[in-house]
Amino acid sequence: MATAFLLPAGCSRRLVAELQNALEACAERQRQLERSLCISRRLLRAWEPAEIPALEPTSGPETNEETPSPACTPSPQDLMELEFLTQALEKAVRVRKGIFKPGEKDKASSLKSGSIATSANTASAAPQASKSKPPKGTRQTMVHSKGLPDRRLMAVGDRSCMGRGAQAAKTGPGPREQQTFPSVVPQAPEAFTLMEKGTLLRLPMAFRKAASQNSRLWAQLSTAQTSDSMDAAMTSKTQFLQKLQTRSGWPCSRISAPEMEAEMGSLWKACSLLRLRMGKELAADFTDWMQEYRCLLTLEGLQAIVGQCLHRLQELQTVVLEQQQGPWPEERLPRTSLPCGGGTGPTWNPQVLLYSSTHELQTLAALRLRVAMLDQQIHLEKVLMTELLPLMTTQEQLRLPRLALCRAVHSLLCEGGERFLTVLRDEPTD
Amino acid sequence: MGRRRHRADRAGAAGALPEAIAALSRALPAGPSPETFRRAKFDRPEAAPALWQLLFSVLSQLRADSASASLSPEVQARWVKSALRSQGYPRLAQFPKDGSQGSRELLLALSWLLAGGALLERLLAQTCVRLGDEMPACECEALASPGRPAPRVEADSCAGRVDVRHLQWLMGKLRFRWRSLMASQQEQCALLGKIHSYTHGCHSDRSLGHLSITETELLRDPEYGRQLLQRLERENARLEAALEWRRREPVFWQWMDTVLGACPPEASQPAFVPGAQEHRADELALLAWELRALQEELRAAAEARRAAWAARVRGQGPDWDAAQRATQEAVAQELAALRQAWERGGGLAQPHGPHGPHRLVRSEAGLLAGPGLRAAEVIGALRSQEACLEVTLCQLQGRCRQELARLAGAAPGLIWIPPPGR
């Protein structure tokens, strides 16, 4: 191909590595998102009782359930079919054993209606079933005769007690809170959807206790950080660090890599903030002299700040230059990511972020992604600039492969790879 | 009183040290026994493997990249070294070469990590059980290029030269990824909103009101709930250990002084981070170019205005002087505030904006007027951050355009037609 242009090895290596890092970071985000999408979708469907394990935690395939992979989730069709099958078998057993008693007849018909209706609309079965005896015998028969999983019916009861916390005070077994997770109180074969009955859910007591202890401990950890008792430890730590440095022949004035990254980051930030401010000042209209004077002073002030930034930059350049002359082999190192919040210790004590509507939440999330994307784009732009621009300046003549390179570089550097410029060759006529 | 407490501290120190180290071990992931620490002080080889393992797991958890524990010991040792180097560890010259020795140096490196930052807190925060639907209020984590373990980098170096079109292809792929990420994110927000409103009033904590995905999931799947409870209890135990370590750590640092004293004094070359020094120089040059361009623009704008101003305000009265002074003060204050925006908290941190992970709580029509950050505030902060970043990107692209146009000008016989839409 005439348009092929191989980049130098070092340049290729670095650029491909950077782009692949960026892709990998995106893919990681996507994976996280897919995981929670999968869980959320499952939560919003009717809670299929087959997904809820019975008393024994080790029962059958649902131990896989907590892995979020969509592959191991039974599809709704499968579950529907399983339900039909279970009900058919149940009925078959009943017919064969001739246990059609008056009391059970209701039950059978209610189950039948349940099987016809979609699983979400079987609420009518609930009160009847809770009054009559749970069909224990049939279930056992079924298990013995067919070896089919009997989770279906057991789990139905299991599931419906999720809302018990709410009703416990008023009805039935007493106001005792659930102490553990499994709770088999066969009540009603009734499909559960978050939309209809989500408000009945209550968190188990054991979990609530652990969670509140957890947040108390985190709070303690973050307050202890600022208390007086920490001062003594702080001083001895600083002394230790100093001693370690002096004993290692380490000059204290040096800037560490993370510090360097932070300094550079803050200078970039300064640069864009100053530019934004300048733009605002230059665009302003004045109605009186005082405003005009104010603008003038601001511009001069900004100029002085830029001067200071440049000074700091030169200091950093000197440090980097000294370090470059060191005897250490070149090695590509990852960019160190400082913990969020800079100097302060990052502790896990999340506060509340209130949102008022789904739309607002979407706006917020989209903006976060946009900022992350711009961050990444800027980083890549800098890397591409430092690698590709020198290639362009060392060219001797714009020959065809060079021209292709030029177009490609222009697109990558100036258009984010989205658009291309057109180059026309104005051939001299002989 | 001070003296008495001092003496009491001394007396308790002998017994307190193993307890302090035990607390530290419990707070760390797979921390070794106090005995291992004691042996490391005397540089005993049998203490080395456990400490290598500890350093590796601490550093790989800190970096939150999945440096696999299945790496061979030599690769792990190299990885640890490179991770320490990137953090600026000063004693790399003395650092052991392989995984079987140098336990004292390993102990020093671990203590250096402990003394430097809030290591335990960061580790705990990294692995903590997240119960809420969290949304960081900032984008401080460097998504641009997350840390990579050294072995991966070495593997990359085998790659040869690539065509420039390969880069374009990768770039296109990246754009596509962002688009699908955006779509998934929107869907996730919609589902999240539903779950929150359907479980309204379910949470035992009134200020939260509704359940999170994790909390709802634990109710749907009791087995998951059991596991979550176990993880939570383990984390609580580690947190308690960390708090105990806080109370006891001064003893440990006194002891570490004696460990350092046991090291033979060595005059060696400071092993400074070489790292991406060259790239750093490149980036600094780029930054210098940006700042100079900005300075030039500001100088031109300010000089013209200064001249016009000087011509206009000759012969103003004394009350004008007072007004002038007031304006000067106001501008100085404003600029100082602007300056803080990038100076406070280092470069990566956002100054005005709120920080860190937050638990999302739906509060329709201000029903829940409790304390908490409002989404609108975060949106505002993110918008200004977005504007800032857009300026930077445009600036860089503009510079490339200038540079390429200059080169194009040097080549006669070619007509350059920029793409439409710009």
Side-chain angles (χ1 to χ4, degrees):
Chain A
M1 281 282 286
T3 50
F5 186 91
L6 289 182
L7 299 166
C11 165
S12 301
R13 209 183 305 138
R14 180 170 182 217
L15 293 182
V16 169
E18 287 282 359
L19 277 164
Q20 265 163 359
N21 275 358
L23 281 166
E24 186 44 45
C26 268
E28 181 51 40
R29 272 201 180 208
Q30 186 78 44
R31 277 193 291 273
Q32 282 171 6
L33 213 53
E34 291 298 333
R35 269 197 293 273
S36 56
L37 264 174
C38 174
I39 297 174
S40 309
R41 287 198 198 110
R42 200 167 51 202
L43 285 175
L44 286 165
R45 282 199 300 263
W47 286 14
E48 291 294 346
E51 289 178 297
I52 297 168
L55 193 55
E56 280 78 35
T58 48
S59 65
E62 74 272 19
T63 40
N64 295 332
E65 275 297 315
E66 92 293 332
T67 57
S69 143
C72 60
T73 319
S75 77
Q77 279 101 325
D78 287 350
L79 292 166
M80 188 83 87
E81 278 167 21
L82 191 68
E83 184 177 346
F84 284 139
L85 187 61
T86 313
Q87 284 169 355
L89 281 166
E90 215 172 299
K91 198 164 180 180
V93 167
R94 243 181 264 123
V95 170
R96 205 163 40 165
K97 291 210 161 184
I99 49 163
F100 264 121
K101 289 165 190 164
E104 297 273 17
K105 229 168 196 169
D106 281 343
K107 220 177 142 32
S109 64
S110 82
L111 275 167
K112 196 175 153 201
S113 74
S115 74
I116 292 162
T118 53
S119 53
N121 306 325
T122 50
S124 63
Q128 287 164 314
S130 57
K131 268 173 238 151
S132 66
K133 244 175 67 180
K136 211 171 186 175
T138 53
R139 213 187 317 148
Q140 279 166 352
T141 322
M142 185 188 77
V143 174
H144 289 160
S145 62
K146 250 333 197 180
L148 267 173
D150 63 332
R151 274 175 286 135
R152 178 78 197 158
L153 285 174
M154 288 220 347
V156 165
D158 190 357
R159 183 236 316 117
S160 60
C161 68
M162 294 302 175
R164 199 166 64 98
Q167 295 158 336
K170 283 173 269 170
T171 62
R176 201 156 32 95
E177 288 283 358
Q178 285 169 249
Q179 290 300 319
T180 48
F181 285 92
S183 51
V184 179
V185 184
Q187 277 187 345
E190 184 182 351
F192 180 93
T193 56
L194 264 192
M195 186 163 77
E196 288 168 356
K197 305 196 182 73
T199 47
L200 300 179
L201 293 173
R202 288 296 175 271
L203 290 169
M205 194 54 174
F207 175 80
R208 271 155 45 188
K209 266 189 190 155
S212 72
Q213 193 196 3
N214 185 262
S215 49
R216 203 173 50 243
L217 286 170
W218 273 113
Q220 270 179 33
L221 203 65
S222 47
T223 50
Q225 232 166 8
T226 52
S227 74
D228 294 342
S229 62
M230 289 298 293
D231 286 351
M234 252 352 244
T235 5
S236 47
K237 276 197 265 190
T238 331
Q239 278 168 5
F240 170 74
L241 285 177
Q242 278 166 0
K243 272 188 205 160
L244 186 76
Q245 285 195 333
T246 44
R247 286 186 75 92
S248 321
W250 171 266
C252 295
S253 60
R254 297 288 184 122
I255 303 177
S256 77
E259 278 164 2
M260 179 67 92
E261 293 286 343
E263 288 265 10
M264 269 161 57
S266 86
L267 282 175
W268 275 110
K269 173 113 189 132
C271 198
S272 51
L273 283 175
L274 288 165
R275 188 167 279 284
L276 267 179
R277 189 56 197 261
M278 178 182 77
K280 229 161 82 186
E281 291 298 323
L282 292 181
D285 274 336
F286 311 114
T287 48
D288 63 35
W289 284 22
M290 198 48 85
Q291 282 177 7
E292 201 176 332
Y293 181 60
R294 199 187 170 99
C295 169
L296 167 65
L297 286 180
T298 307
L299 287 174
E300 284 176 346
L302 290 177
Q303 206 187 332
I305 296 178
V306 174
Q308 288 157 6
C309 286
L310 269 168
H311 181 72
R312 182 70 196 136
L313 181 84
Q314 276 151 9
E315 286 173 356
L316 293 182
Q317 277 176 325
T318 320
V319 172
V320 168
L321 208 69
E322 277 170 17
Q323 287 162 5
Q324 260 178 344
Q325 288 154 2
W328 310 286
E330 219 238 305
E331 185 178 347
R332 193 185 151 274
L333 278 168
R335 229 169 72 159
T336 8
S337 63
L338 284 184
C340 165
T344 60
T347 48
W348 179 256
N349 197 13
Q351 291 163 319
V352 167
L353 173 56
L354 297 167
Y355 72 96
S356 60
S357 66
T358 302
H359 177 71
E360 194 180 41
L361 186 62
Q362 283 175 327
T363 313
L364 177 63
L367 264 171
R368 282 193 59 227
L369 273 188
R370 168 92 183 130
V371 165
M373 189 176 81
L374 279 167
D375 253 343
Q376 191 185 65
Q377 264 185 306
I378 288 170
H379 172 71
L380 287 176
E381 181 81 18
K382 288 177 197 164
V383 175
L384 286 167
M385 275 172 92
T386 52
E387 292 292 333
L388 294 179
L389 279 181
L391 284 186
M392 305 303 297
T393 48
T394 53
Q395 67 189 339
E396 62 298 352
Q397 210 191 340
L398 284 174
R399 277 181 275 105
L400 196 63
R402 285 277 175 193
L403 216 54
L405 174 70
C406 205
R407 261 188 99 218
V409 167
H410 185 278
S411 163
L412 282 171
L413 289 181
C414 312
E415 311 289 341
E418 280 177 279
R419 283 175 291 260
F420 289 92
L421 52 59
T422 317
V423 184
L424 292 182
R425 188 180 278 267
D426 196 10
E427 292 288 355
T429 45
D430 302 305
Chain B
M1 162 210 145
R3 191 179 293 170
R4 222 169 82 201
R5 196 171 53 186
H6 214 82
R7 213 179 305 140
D9 278 356
R10 283 250 171 97
L17 180 64
E19 279 168 33
I21 295 177
L24 175 65
S25 281
R26 271 183 283 126
L28 284 169
S33 70
E35 181 56 21
T36 308
F37 280 75
R38 198 187 64 80
R39 287 187 181 151
K41 179 182 175 181
F42 302 107
D43 210 13
R44 301 279 282 275
E46 64 267 29
L51 286 173
W52 271 113
Q53 204 55 48
L54 178 62
L55 266 178
F56 180 74
S57 66
V58 162
L59 285 165
S60 63
Q61 274 193 24
L62 268 188
R63 298 264 279 254
D65 55 13
S66 39
S68 150
S70 61
L71 295 173
S72 71
E74 302 94 73
V75 179
Q76 277 194 19
R78 277 220 305 281
W79 192 92
V80 165
K81 212 166 166 177
S82 115
L84 280 173
R85 178 183 293 134
S86 75
Q87 305 219 8
Y89 181 60
R91 281 181 74 86
L92 279 175
Q94 294 94 332
F95 208 68
K97 304 267 177 307
D98 60 48
S100 64
Q101 46 172 314
S103 55
R104 191 194 292 135
E105 286 299 327
L106 297 173
L107 178 58
L108 285 175
L110 180 71
S111 312
W112 181 81
L113 285 171
L114 272 173
L119 178 74
L120 281 185
E121 291 79 0
R122 277 166 68 190
L123 283 174
L124 283 162
Q126 198 77 259
T127 54
C128 74
V129 180
R130 275 131 216 246
L131 295 176
D133 299 313
E134 57 171 271
M135 163 103 54
C138 57
E139 272 296 333
C140 297
E141 279 130 276
L143 180 122
S145 65
R148 287 258 151 256
R152 167 77 179 264
V153 176
E154 276 157 30
D156 282 343
S157 65
C158 311
R161 305 174 59 183
V162 295
D163 193 315
V164 69
R165 283 172 305 172
H166 183 63
L167 295 186
Q168 289 174 299
W169 176 72
L170 286 175
M171 203 68 153
K173 203 167 147 185
L174 188 59
R175 272 204 311 282
F176 176 75
R177 287 249 168 107
W178 275 110
R179 262 203 295 278
S180 59
L181 203 53
M182 203 59 104
S184 306
Q185 176 84 79
Q186 292 299 293
E187 189 192 347
Q188 174 58 16
C189 287
L191 299 185
L192 200 57
K194 274 189 191 164
I195 293 173
H196 286 176
S197 60
Y198 293 164
T199 59
H200 178 75
C202 291
H203 207 285
S204 43
D205 184 341
R206 284 281 165 78
S207 67
L208 299 177
H210 55 75
L211 301 182
S212 69
I213 290 185
T214 309
E215 287 160 346
T216 318
E217 178 70 3
L218 82 85
L219 289 172
R220 192 195 65 80
D221 180 357
E223 175 55 27
Y224 171 71
R226 256 188 295 271
Q227 289 175 1
L228 198 70
L229 183 62
Q230 278 173 10
R231 281 177 55 205
L232 208 53
E233 281 165 350
R234 274 201 299 272
E235 182 181 313
N236 287 350
R238 273 182 73 186
L239 283 168
E240 272 165 2
L243 284 167
E244 193 185 332
W245 159 252
R246 281 271 183 78
R247 285 191 299 275
R248 296 180 182 274
E249 70 176 323
V251 189
F252 177 81
W253 295 111
Q254 283 164 23
W255 178 69
M256 275 314 293
D257 264 356
T258 65
V259 174
L260 204 52
C263 289
E266 267 177 87
S268 63
Q269 284 287 338
F272 186 77
V273 193
Q277 286 307 333
E278 202 175 299
H279 304 146
R280 218 165 258 155
D282 286 343
E283 195 177 335
L284 281 173
L286 205 61
L287 186 53
W289 192 93
E290 279 295 319
L291 282 169
R292 289 215 183 85
L294 182 62
Q295 195 182 35
E296 191 46 42
E297 279 174 64
L298 278 166
R299 194 190 53 77
E303 269 179 11
R305 272 156 216 251
R306 175 56 78 180
W309 180 256
R312 218 183 304 172
V313 290
R314 247 169 238 146
Q316 295 282 349
D319 48 333
W320 170 243
D321 282 349
Q324 228 176 339
R325 261 198 303 282
T327 311
Q328 281 163 6
E329 265 165 43
V331 168
Q333 269 174 17
E334 231 173 79
L335 291 179
L338 181 68
R339 221 187 155 90
Q340 279 203 332
W342 68 80
E343 281 179 350
R344 195 190 316 153
L348 293 173
Q350 295 309 312
H352 308 303
H355 274 285
H358 281 67
R359 181 175 173 138
L360 282 173
V361 170
R362 191 185 181 95
S363 144
E364 270 164 281
L367 281 175
L368 219 111
L373 190 62
R374 314 279 138 162
E377 292 170 45
V378 183
I379 288 175
L382 283 171
R383 278 204 204 288
S384 64
Q385 207 181 335
E386 183 195 21
C388 207
L389 292 171
E390 273 169 354
V391 166
T392 310
L393 186 61
C394 280
Q395 212 40 48
L396 291 171
Q397 288 181 339
R399 197 209 151 183
C400 291
R401 246 176 247 127
Q402 274 179 28
E403 194 73 6
L404 290 174
R406 194 176 59 75
L407 290 170
L414 291 173
I415 301 164
W416 303 83
I417 306 167
R422 284 262 174 187

